[in-house]
């Protein structure tokens, strides 16, 4: 970290240098405002200590210049006791702190130390925010629409209820994370409960927490997830699997915006964005008596539907390339992409497991990939054979010879015209294959 000292008194510059040198920071010390601005521009210090009384342009003007360039860096002003009026003006202009001469060097050092700690902490938080930043990939209309909603609700100060519905693996959780981590709550808690993963009898204590002695195992007071999420986001995944009795209790919290820990008397205020997700049809669950209708309507203030991947095939190429670049980093590889032919097969595949299946597929291929480009021969058999079973429906009504010719041609293409491999795939000898190639005049 860097500290800039602007003071025309040589003795002050020197003693600051000595005191702050112990903090392990890089120090720049100059005697005039002009030099100070020049160094500020070049070095972008984290903290600037500026004397108000400078020859040439004064400290207040230097502060104004600095604030024009950087709204966040720390600025500490130094004045004489007789100039406190100027210190007040400096604080109004955005200085963070001021000291009056003669000041206690130890106090100045402690103050700088505190500011350095604060800078480090906020850098960590913003790095964390960056790390958690969630990218939703896709150019289809449905993804664009989802991104727009996520951005809007994520940046809205007002807490609301969002219900994300869609098949497994379509990205419901990633959308919940995008709403939280790409929005204004990014530095607040993001608390998730997967209702399907927690036995129904434990869901209540997980959500509400308990007071000491509330039941025999409650040896100590414990905060629940509702309480932990305060100020941020509560993500209730697989809400369709929430215990029906608990659904009534949750509804009360969402309506009254307050709750009690189990065994508690005190009411605690609840304030968070609530995002619920499910791959079940909640309307069907309501019909079957497994889900409360009133909770459904309470949660469904902002409905989001995720579309199955097979209904937005235009996203497949982007997703594959995105996952390739991710696995290039984690596996330390430099795969360039996927060939047109291989991509076409992927685009025609059904992807019942949606993006999760696609991501796992890219991971598997990338682990074994040695060439720069993922080609048809690198694709797993289930994806290739799906293509041929689909094709075989197209053959219905064709004569047998044309079907055979087409099969041989496709398999040759897939195997890059390698005769031995194609014969093996088709379950015939190389001699038979050669004869058939000749018979049907098959060529590249
Ligand atoms: N549009 C997308 N862009 C980038 N990654 C995605 C996208 N959609 C899904 N993924 C990735 O696919 C995987 C599955 O997504 P996610 O867990 O969000 O699905 P889900 O709908 O919540 O599934 P489930 O219902 O089974 O919990 C995750 O690794 C996620 O990061």
């Amino acid at each position: 970290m860097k500290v800039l000292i602007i003071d025309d008194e040589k003795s002050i510059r020197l003693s600051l240098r000595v005191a702050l040198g112990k903090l392990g920071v890089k120090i720049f010390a100059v005697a005039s405002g002009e030099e100070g601005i020049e160094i500020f521009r070049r070095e972008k210090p984290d903290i600037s200590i500026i004397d108000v009384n400078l020859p040439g342009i004064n400290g207040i003007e230097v502060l104004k210049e600095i604030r024009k360039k950087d709204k966040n860096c720390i600025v500490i002003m130094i004045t004489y006791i007789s100039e406190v009026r100027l210190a007040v003006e400096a604080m109004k202009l955005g200085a963070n702190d001021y000291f009056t001469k003669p000041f206690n060097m130890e106090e100045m050092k402690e103050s700088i130390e505190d500011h350095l700690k604060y800078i480090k902490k906020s850098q960590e938080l913003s790095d964390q925010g960056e790390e958690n930043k969630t990218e939703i990939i896709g150019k289809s209309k449905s993804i664009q629409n989802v991104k727009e909603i996520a951005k809007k609700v994520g940046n809205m100060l007002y807490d609301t209820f969002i219900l994300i519905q869609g098949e497994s693996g379509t990205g419901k959780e990633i959308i919940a994370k995008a709403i939280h981590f790409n929005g204004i709550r990014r530095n607040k808690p993001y608390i998730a409960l997967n209702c399907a993963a927690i036995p129904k009898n434990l869901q209540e204590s997980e959500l509400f927490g308990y007071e000491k002695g509330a039941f025999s195992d409650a040896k100590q007071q414990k905060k629940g997830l509702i309480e932990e999420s305060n100020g941020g986001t509560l993500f209730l995944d697989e809400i369709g699997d929430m215990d029906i009795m608990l659904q009534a209790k949750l509804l009360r919290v969402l309506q009254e915006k307050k709750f009690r820990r189990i065994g508690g008397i005190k009411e605690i205020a609840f304030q968070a964005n609530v995002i619920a997700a499910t791959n079940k049809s909640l309307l069907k669950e309501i019909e079957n008596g497994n889900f409360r209708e009133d909770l459904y309507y309470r949660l469904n203030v902002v409905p989001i539907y995720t579309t199955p991947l097979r209904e937005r095939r235009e996203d497949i190429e982007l997703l594959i390339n995105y996952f390739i670049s991710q696995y290039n980093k984690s596996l330390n590889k430099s795969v360039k992409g996927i060939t047109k032919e291989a991509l076409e097969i992927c685009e025609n595949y059904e992807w019942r497991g949606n993006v999760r299946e696609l991501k796992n597929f890219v991971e598997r291929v990338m682990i074994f990939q040695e060439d720069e480009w993922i080609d048809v021969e690198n694709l797993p058999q289930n994806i290739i054979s799906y293509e041929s079973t689909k094709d075989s429906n197209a053959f219905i009504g064709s004569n047998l010879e044309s079907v055979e010719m087409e099969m041989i041609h496709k398999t040759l293409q897939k195997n890059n015209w390698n005769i031995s491999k194609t014969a093996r795939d088709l379950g015939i000898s190389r001699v038979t294959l050669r004869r058939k190639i000749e018979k049907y005049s098959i060529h590249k």
Side-chain angles (χ1 to χ4, degrees), residues 295-311:
L295 179 60
Y296 173 76
Y297 287 114
R298 177 75 279 197
L299 288 171
N300 205 17
V301 176
V302 181
I304 295 181
Y305 296 94
T306 53
T307 312
L309 190 55
R310 62 190 170 280
E311 287 170 26

Side-chain angles (χ1 to χ4, degrees), residues 128-136 146 150-151 153-155 162 164 171-193 232-237 273-277 304 356 359:
Q128 220 175 56
E130 271 312 302
E131 249 173 52
N132 285 325
K133 241 187 162 181
T134 309
E135 235 184 317
I136 302 176
V146 162
K151 195 170 164 193
V153 287
N155 286 313
I162 302 141
I164 313 175
K172 297 185 294 297
E173 188 178 346
I174 202 182
I175 292 166
K177 283 189 174 159
I179 292 173
H180 180 87
F181 289 108
N182 301 355
I184 50 170
R185 291 171 185 77
R186 71 176 76 84
N187 294 326
K188 298 276 162 55
Y190 170 87
I191 303 290
L193 170 75
T233 299
L234 177 64
F235 177 49
L236 301 169
D237 204 0
N273 242 354
V274 177
I275 310 178
I304 295 181
R356 179 176 294 114
K359 186 177 176 183

Side-chain angles (χ1 to χ4, degrees), residues 135-138 143 166-175 194 235 237-238 277-279 306 312 315 319 322-323 353 355-357 359:
E135 235 184 317
I136 302 176
I137 306 295
I143 285 287
E167 283 183 16
S168 181
T170 44
K172 297 185 294 297
E173 188 178 346
I174 202 182
I175 292 166
N194 185 332
F235 177 49
D237 204 0
E238 317 282 6
T278 181
N279 51 33
T306 53
R312 48 181 174 101
D315 290 340
L319 282 163
Y322 173 71
F323 293 134
V355 184
R356 179 176 294 114
E357 185 184 2
K359 186 177 176 183

Side-chain angles (χ1 to χ4, degrees), residues 373-437:
W373 290 89
I374 298 173
D375 206 347
V376 178
E377 63 186 12
N378 306 117
L379 303 182
Q381 202 52 44
N382 64 321
I383 292 180
I384 298 173
S385 31
Y386 177 78
E387 176 80 355
S388 54
T389 43
K390 250 182 50 187
D391 279 359
S392 60
N393 291 332
F395 288 141
I396 291 169
S398 321
N399 75 41
L400 206 55
E401 285 200 332
S402 66
V403 173
E404 185 175 62
M405 185 173 101
E406 180 92 35
M407 284 286 260
I408 294 172
H409 194 198
K410 283 215 153 134
T411 317
L412 277 165
Q413 270 182 331
K414 182 197 117 188
N415 291 330
N416 218 3
W417 297 81
N418 181 319
I419 298 287
S420 308
K421 201 158 182 277
T422 306
R424 226 179 303 129
D425 278 2
L426 293 170
I428 54 178
S429 71
R430 282 179 19 215
V431 178
T432 312
L433 178 60
R434 283 225 167 79
R435 197 164 32 79
K436 287 185 188 283
I437 290 174

Side-chain angles (χ1 to χ4, degrees), residues 36 54 68 87-88 93 118 131 134 146 160 174 188 212-213 265 361 396 400 429:
L54 292 169
K68 263 192 231 162
V88 175
L93 288 168
Y118 166 79
E131 249 173 52
T134 309
V146 162
T160 188
I174 202 182
K188 298 276 162 55
K212 186 176 172 183
I265 311 164
F361 143 77
I396 291 169
L400 206 55
S429 71

